[in-house]
Amino acid sequence: MLGRQAKYMGGKGLGIAADATPPGRDSSELNDPALAAKVESELFRPADSPKGSVDVNVESGVVYLRGEVASQEQLRDLIERAQAVDGVARAESLLHLPGEPAPRRV
């Protein structure tokens, strides 16, 4: 009888641990393409986002935003929001305003 109770309690403990663990992978485990997709999902969710004019690239957890944005405020907002995505080491801006030359990555 004690053997069955011990086995039951052990299984109960495993169930509690499984319920406490969130499904899916930890963001720190995402590879660069998966992290890029996650950042794109966050940045381009709003209807007024510059989806067609901004590209997202990720290299070793660093997000690079390239393209043209309408305003300096939009540029800052995109960088801040990209930086806030879980798993992003840092976000770099290669964005530019209309009529300005595109910055180059050094």
Side-chain angles (χ1 to χ4, degrees):
M1 173 126 170
L2 282 176
R4 278 195 288 167
Q5 282 183 326
K7 189 174 182 179
Y8 171 79
M9 293 307 289
K12 189 84 166 153
L14 288 175
I16 291 170
D19 288 344
T21 306
R25 297 187 311 190
D26 182 5
S27 293
S28 64
E29 297 175 12
L30 295 178
N31 61 22
D32 289 344
L35 187 56
K38 184 176 180 180
V39 170
E40 287 174 351
S41 175
E42 291 296 320
L43 296 185
F44 302 140
R45 185 172 294 145
D48 63 343
S49 67
K51 186 174 183 174
S53 64
V54 173
D55 292 321
V56 176
N57 301 103
V58 178
E59 296 175 23
S60 302
V62 178
V63 173
Y64 295 93
L65 299 180
R66 294 175 169 85
E68 186 176 295
V69 293
S71 69
Q72 191 68 35
E73 180 180 285
Q74 189 176 45
L75 186 151
R76 281 190 304 271
D77 179 61
L78 288 171
I79 291 297
E80 287 173 9
R81 289 177 40 223
Q83 182 68 52
V85 173
D86 193 32
V88 171
R90 80 173 184 275
E92 298 280 331
S93 175
L94 297 171
L95 299 168
H96 63 95
L97 299 174
E100 291 182 355
R104 293 180 177 255
R105 187 171 145 203
V106 179

